[in-house]
Amino acid sequence: SSDGNPHDEL
Amino acid sequence: MNIFRLTGDLSHLLAIIILLVKIWKTRSCAGISGKSQLLFALVYTTRYLDLVSTYISAYNTFMKLIFICASYATVYLIYMKFKATYDHNHDTFRVEFLILPSFVLSLLINHDFAVLEILWTFSIYLESVAILPQLFLVSKTGEAESITSHYLFALGSYRGLYLLNWIYRYYAESHYDLIAIVAGVVQTVLYCDFFYLYVTKVLKGKKLQLPA
């Protein structure tokens, strides 16, 4: 999903 | 980490290195839009503020630092060291038309109304259009050196490979980020015309020259 994730991409 | 994301990141890194080496070796930034490079420096600065708040991996931290440092080094070479060779007469794209709408949009459409999150969102929106001053410069002068074309190809490929990465992650990890995906599609589409010219001309050994 798109909620709560830290942005782990560059 | 999957193969699409890794090759995307490496393509991004390659683009940045190609540009730095080109400017350094030729002692000239002719044909390069300083405005696009300033926008990229702004993009990396606002996106990677999470370096101080969130640790993801050594790879992630290392790449972020490289992107920030390389973008500032590029801006320094263009606006300071090799300023005399900078093509400012042709680099006339109005960047406020990119920065302001990106910022307003990031206030309206974001995952969370928090400072770091809005700056991240702003950086995603701004990155999607940050190449426009460079493409505008190429269209104004009607041509680009081969090395500049290679730079643009590597930089454009990076977000295209990220699109594949997001498709992969959607199926493999049920992970998706609509803001990044929509902006990434826009970003990749902006390069399509250039990709066509690159494949039909530059790869066949011709200079990238636009029809008059």
Side-chain angles (χ1 to χ4, degrees), chain B residues 112-141:
Chain B
D112 182 20
F113 202 81
V115 176
L116 276 187
E117 189 60 30
I118 285 169
L119 288 174
W120 177 87
T121 313
F122 166 71
S123 83
I124 293 287
Y125 294 151
L126 185 62
E127 184 191 343
S128 69
V129 292
I131 201 60
L132 285 177
Q134 178 63 57
L135 296 176
F136 181 72
L137 191 154
V138 170
S139 76
K140 261 198 134 181
T141 57

Side-chain angles (χ1 to χ4, degrees), chain A residues 1-2 5 7-10, chain B residues 5 117 165-166 169 174 176:
Chain A
S1 74
S2 64
N5 280 325
H7 302 297
D8 61 347
E9 293 176 343
L10 295 165
Chain B
R5 193 163 139 205
E117 189 60 30
N165 154 57
W166 290 324
R169 291 191 75 180
S174 301
Y176 68 95

Side-chain angles (χ1 to χ4, degrees), chain B residues 52-184:
Chain B
V52 295
S53 65
T54 314
Y55 178 80
I56 304 214
S57 65
Y59 169 83
N60 192 279
T61 301
F62 175 76
M63 293 293 261
K64 283 175 175 173
L65 289 173
I66 293 275
F67 288 162
I68 291 174
C69 294
S71 72
Y72 279 95
T74 307
V75 166
Y76 165 76
L77 291 183
I78 295 174
Y79 285 99
M80 312 276 279
K81 193 162 176 65
F82 301 123
K83 191 182 176 186
T85 63
Y86 170 49
D87 218 353
H88 63 92
N89 288 329
H90 289 121
D91 195 15
T92 51
F93 196 96
R94 300 277 298 271
V95 288
E96 59 271 35
F97 292 153
L98 303 178
I99 296 176
L100 291 176
S102 298
F103 187 65
V104 171
L105 197 61
S106 68
L107 292 175
L108 297 174
I109 304 175
N110 52 59
H111 294 309
D112 182 20
F113 202 81
V115 176
L116 276 187
E117 189 60 30
I118 285 169
L119 288 174
W120 177 87
T121 313
F122 166 71
S123 83
I124 293 287
Y125 294 151
L126 185 62
E127 184 191 343
S128 69
V129 292
I131 201 60
L132 285 177
Q134 178 63 57
L135 296 176
F136 181 72
L137 191 154
V138 170
S139 76
K140 261 198 134 181
T141 57
E143 60 179 38
E145 285 179 62
S146 297
I147 191 73
T148 305
S149 302
H150 300 326
Y151 160 71
L152 282 169
F153 183 76
L155 193 63
S157 304
Y158 133 71
R159 223 46 175 173
L161 288 161
Y162 256 71
L163 294 182
L164 300 178
N165 154 57
W166 290 324
I167 293 169
Y168 175 88
R169 291 191 75 180
Y170 178 77
Y171 288 107
E173 304 166 25
S174 301
H175 169 95
Y176 68 95
D177 183 331
L178 267 183
I179 287 177
I181 292 170
V182 173

